[in-house]
Amino acid sequence: MSVQLDPTYREQAVGSLDTAEVDVLVIGGGVTGAGAALDAAARGLSVTLVEARDFAAGTSSRSSKLIHGGLRYLEQMDFALVREALKERGLLLNTLAPHLVRPVPFLFPLQHRVWERAYIGAGIALYDTLGGARTVPMHKHLSRSGALELAPALRDDAMTGAIRYYDAQVDDARHTMMIARTAAEHGATVLTRTKVIGLVRDGEKVVGARVEDLETGRAHTIRARTVISATGVWTDDMIKMTGVDFPFHVQMSKGVHILVPRDRLNLHTGMIMRTEKSVLFVIPWAEHWIIGTTDTAWALDKNHPTATAADVQYILDHVNSLLREPLTRADIVGTYAGLRPLMTGATKETAKLSREHAVAEPAPGLFVIAGGKYTTYRVMAADVVDAAVARLGGDIPASSTAQLPIVGADGYFDLLAEVNTLAASQRLPVDVVAHLLGRYGSLSTDIFGLVAADPALRHPIPGASEYIAAEIVYAVTHEGALHLDDILTRRTRISIEVPDRGLAAAPEVARLIAPLLGWNEETTDTEINRYYDRVHAELAANEASDDEAANTARLVAAR
């Protein structure tokens, strides 16, 4: 039985905050913070993780959903970063999270004869070599006709040929949450809606933090032998809280993505194309394509970055340059914007800032990790915990997370091999069972148990038929969801996968979770109305012409 991050777990965990000193306090529930909590707990250390909002509520739910080495970093001669990332890709695909991370093919259209094929081909061959030949299939050179067989949506004159290669993708928010669950399995206390409001010091040394439980408004003091800040784009806020200067700062870069229906583009592969600033991906995502991203400086609200009309048009213009039938704004089902935490460098052009990470101890006992990319979260986590362990002293084991599967991984392949038999035994459609295995892995048996106990939970959610009711219940009983937005935006992706952004689904989802969270009718209506306000604010922001106007529109419904 896995640890259940339900309301009872949270109540007990909050109640224990003031009682005992922990070895490691982790601030930040993104992928790096969750990874650090798991790394430390797996070494036998006592750990508490606090997150002001929800697991992956910031950057870690708003990425391109790719686990990759980064082809463009080869051009920048950053071979070490690419090699490190590709090694992590292999671990995630084969050992750590095969239920959440899967290979995906990409087509790289070539638009110049001879030299471009030789130049790009050499880079992708190196990419395959650095990544290991057995991790994903090797790349393949294609003629124009061969490329058009894989991508009939492309214009004949859009390319002279292409190269197909493989990377991998992940539901970033689910992956982050399941790392946090794995940390809890190893004894860590993991808490969302728990905001750090100050640091506790003994002289110059940081020995803990004061936190506010945002669900109750009560303050608590957590004593810790070491504190790790994994706060991403909020790193400079931590700098202000410490009152000391850090050896690095973080600059924010906004990346925007759009989603369009899968049947709108006749492609049998993902696609990558160059832009004047970076690269643009077309990524398969269940019944949709994710298309992005942009790369522009952002200095406004960190909690609610928004896509503007100009951002969306930039993406449409670039992808349409290759398509027979151009996409329009009417084709867009969803949009999302995220902020990259980039290490500051000599140039202010965010596309050129480093994706490498750094660890520092700006005050005794406080360790800060910043920079990096989603794919290398495990390495970042191990590095910052190594630094904390050096201060703790004693006989503490080295990191073991390279061999530590995330919950749901063990037994996944066995269930996948029996998907038809499993569907028949559970009296569920095969496509539903396959969907569940791809989201929960071997923990799908928990979902089957809920359905067996209450057959009504096998039914699809009105307005979001890709998900069944049991998944909504499970988000509260096992996955730490506390609010409607947690479920519609991160435990599921309903907020970006249906044209109405989840407005039709919201009342049914709220009805399912209200008794589990102790909501009365007034609280339920407040949650629904708050979600409605958020959706309308985001849609208004999408119509704004610039970041300032979009930020103002979105903050109408800030929470």
Side-chain angles (χ1 to χ4, degrees):
M1 176 70 71
S2 59
V3 172
Q4 297 179 212
L5 303 186
D6 61 7
T8 299
Y9 170 92
R10 187 179 193 280
E11 182 180 3
Q12 293 173 346
V14 170
S16 70
L17 291 180
D18 301 282
T19 58
E21 182 184 57
V22 295
D23 294 321
V24 181
L25 169 63
V26 179
I27 303 171
V31 70
T32 306
L38 173 57
D39 189 286
R43 301 187 198 211
L45 299 172
S46 57
V47 180
T48 294
L49 177 149
V50 293
E51 159 59 40
R53 297 165 68 201
D54 184 25
F55 299 125
T59 301
S60 295
S61 63
R62 305 178 189 189
S63 74
S64 294
K65 323 299 184 212
L66 291 177
I67 298 295
H68 65 139
L71 270 178
R72 70 186 178 113
Y73 301 120
L74 286 179
E75 231 172 357
Q76 298 172 12
M77 309 298 255
D78 202 341
F79 301 122
L81 177 62
V82 174
R83 181 184 293 107
E84 179 179 76
L86 291 175
K87 177 184 177 183
E88 294 303 307
R89 184 190 69 180
L91 286 173
L92 286 162
L93 280 167
N94 298 321
T95 304
L96 305 183
H99 54 316
L100 301 174
V101 181
R102 50 194 55 87
V104 60
F106 285 96
L107 197 70
F108 194 122
L110 303 172
Q111 295 170 325
H112 302 279
R113 297 185 184 280
V114 185
W115 74 264
E116 190 181 24
R117 184 178 291 278
Y119 177 68
I120 299 298
I124 293 179
L126 177 60
Y127 195 72
D128 278 347
T129 301
L130 293 173
R134 288 192 296 272
T135 301
V136 296
M138 298 291 283
H139 74 284
K140 183 178 181 180
H141 284 261
L142 301 170
S143 64
R144 179 161 58 189
S145 61
L148 289 171
E149 287 181 14
L150 286 176
L154 302 188
R155 298 196 326 268
D156 290 352
D157 62 352
M159 58 185 169
T160 60
I163 301 173
R164 185 189 65 190
Y165 75 100
Y166 279 77
D167 254 320
Q169 71 173 173
V170 67
D171 183 332
D172 48 7
R174 287 204 61 74
H175 177 246
T176 297
M177 177 273 298
M178 291 181 86
I179 295 170
R181 285 190 66 185
T182 310
E185 291 275 341
H186 284 79
T189 296
V190 295
L191 284 168
T192 61
R193 312 288 174 181
T194 311
K195 183 179 180 180
V196 172
I197 55 177
L199 297 174
V200 178
R201 297 176 187 265
D202 181 0
E204 292 185 356
K205 185 180 180 183
V206 174
V207 294
R210 295 186 301 278
V211 301
E212 179 185 356
D213 177 1
L214 298 181
E215 296 298 291
T216 65
R218 298 192 189 100
H220 301 270
T221 298
I222 305 173
R223 307 285 298 188
R225 296 173 65 200
T226 58
V227 177
I228 291 175
S229 169
T231 50
V233 296
W234 288 269
T235 296
D236 280 17
D237 293 345
M238 183 59 65
I239 293 175
K240 294 176 183 176
M241 191 175 291
T242 63
V244 301
D245 193 26
F246 284 24
F248 49 73
H249 291 264
V250 167
Q251 182 168 319
M252 296 181 291
S253 166
K254 185 178 73 168
V256 170
H257 297 79
I258 65 173
L259 278 79
V260 301
R262 192 69 175 266
D263 60 9
R264 186 59 186 82
L265 294 178
N266 188 5
L267 298 172
H268 308 297
T269 175
M271 191 168 66
I272 179 175
M273 59 181 292
R274 288 174 175 273
T275 71
E276 66 277 10
K277 294 181 179 179
S278 182
V279 294
L280 192 79
F281 287 98
V282 179
I283 306 162
W285 180 261
E287 299 305 312
H288 302 86
W289 297 100
I290 294 176
I291 308 175
T293 181
T294 60
D295 198 339
T296 56
W298 177 266
L300 301 169
D301 182 69
K302 298 182 181 73
N303 289 334
H304 306 292
T306 52
T308 67
D311 294 326
V312 170
Q313 195 59 51
Y314 172 89
I315 293 171
L316 290 175
D317 287 346
H318 281 84
V319 73
N320 284 340
S321 69
L322 299 180
L323 299 178
R324 293 176 186 271
E325 297 181 17
L327 296 170
T328 69
R329 292 180 70 90
D331 293 310
I332 297 174
V333 173
T335 66
Y336 65 93
L339 301 175
R340 304 177 189 89
L342 303 179
M343 300 285 290
T344 52
T347 173
K348 292 185 178 180
E349 294 179 49
T350 58
K352 295 179 180 178
L353 292 181
S354 175
R355 296 308 300 272
E356 294 184 7
H357 65 272
V359 175
E361 188 180 9
L366 174 65
F367 298 87
V368 180
I369 177 80
K373 52 185 289 186
Y374 193 100
T375 302
T376 56
Y377 81 90
R378 193 197 63 80
V379 176
M380 296 168 63
D383 284 352
V384 73
V385 174
D386 280 345
V389 162
R391 174 165 284 278
L392 288 172
D395 188 18
I396 299 172
S399 175
S400 63
T401 54
Q403 297 83 38
L404 186 61
I406 293 166
V407 290
D410 285 339
Y412 163 68
F413 287 118
D414 292 337
L415 291 176
L416 187 63
E418 300 294 332
V419 64
N420 291 318
T421 303
L422 193 58
S425 69
Q426 299 299 322
R427 292 184 296 161
L428 289 168
V430 173
D431 63 329
V432 170
V433 173
H435 159 85
L436 295 175
L437 289 174
R439 284 170 47 76
Y440 305 91
S442 58
L443 296 182
S444 296
T445 55
D446 292 345
I447 304 291
F448 301 150
L450 290 175
V451 171
D454 183 357
L457 296 181
R458 72 177 62 246
H459 297 304
I461 297 298
S465 58
E466 184 179 343
Y467 301 93
I468 63 172
E471 296 180 81
I472 305 304
V473 170
Y474 191 76
V476 172
T477 61
H478 288 71
E479 296 180 341
L482 296 174
H483 292 279
L484 186 58
D485 182 66
D486 296 344
I487 295 173
L488 293 173
T489 305
R490 286 172 292 277
R491 302 305 183 278
T492 72
R493 291 315 185 105
I494 292 171
S495 67
I496 58 173
E497 291 177 339
V498 294
D500 74 349
R501 280 31 174 203
L503 295 179
E508 175 64 11
V509 171
R511 182 191 69 79
L512 286 165
I513 65 177
L516 302 171
L517 291 167
W519 294 351
N520 58 24
E521 185 175 346
E522 181 182 1
T523 304
T524 303
D525 287 344
T526 297
E527 287 278 333
I528 294 170
N529 291 332
R530 184 180 290 133
Y531 184 75
Y532 283 3
D533 290 345
R534 187 207 114 171
V535 169
H536 292 307
E538 287 183 347
L539 291 173
N542 291 166
E543 298 298 322
S545 59
D546 57 45
D547 284 342
E548 287 75 13
N551 188 65
T552 299
R554 178 61 183 87
L555 290 182
V556 168
R559 178 176 183 269

